[in-house]
Amino acid sequence: MERGYRLIAVEGVDGSGKSTLVENLREHLSRNFRTEVARPARAMTAAFRELAEKGRPESVLYQDRIPPDFRHSAYLLETAVHFRYRREQFEHADFVLFDRWLQTWQAYCDEVVEHRDWMSRIAATTPEPDVLLWVRVDPETACRRLVERQDRWARIYSPAQLHDKIARLCDRYEKAMLDTRPGAVVLDGTRSPAELLADALDRVTEKAA
């Protein structure tokens, strides 16, 4: 289906600088263009935390209590809902930025087991991004940033456990991105936010040419 806006999706593991890049892109593009931002994991994550974590110790994580394939299904639905119910907002924009895309669910969740055909049909309704930016970073850098910002994972896990978790996620991102067609634009997440923004803007312009 044709659309009047450019769809830019940004991917990356926790600590990669992905969300900072999305916010910097929004701020820069909004100076001259109508820009919308979507964060498709936020609503379901908040619901899962309310259901599985509220009133329990901080060490209790919803990821350990809610089956990963169920979370995968819920996130797919939430992404589809953005395009169905924010359609008018999106169509009035020049750029729509998505903070996370479908590869997130491949990296962070197991494959959908139940109702797979139905979920595949839902995923197929999601349009292809004009540009998919992958902020790629090594586990050491991601862990250091999570510790610096006092992320919950950094408070719960030991340094070794945190590194193992992030390293596994980085490996899963490698596979998810390798399977992406068309290929993602790879950005060096170890660079400063200003350098990362400049690189992303160059790639977005290059893709538009």
Side-chain angles (χ1 to χ4, degrees), residues 144-162:
R144 174 176 53 78
R145 290 172 176 170
L146 293 176
V147 171
E148 288 174 352
R149 74 186 192 203
Q150 298 184 321
D151 185 89
R152 189 179 184 190
W153 281 1
R155 298 196 305 270
I156 292 173
Y157 296 123
S158 70
Q161 289 172 327
L162 180 63

Side-chain angles (χ1 to χ4, degrees), residues 42-56:
R42 296 296 176 88
M44 291 310 305
T45 295
F48 290 152
R49 284 178 172 156
E50 177 73 16
L51 291 168
E53 297 179 357
K54 188 174 181 180
R56 295 183 172 90

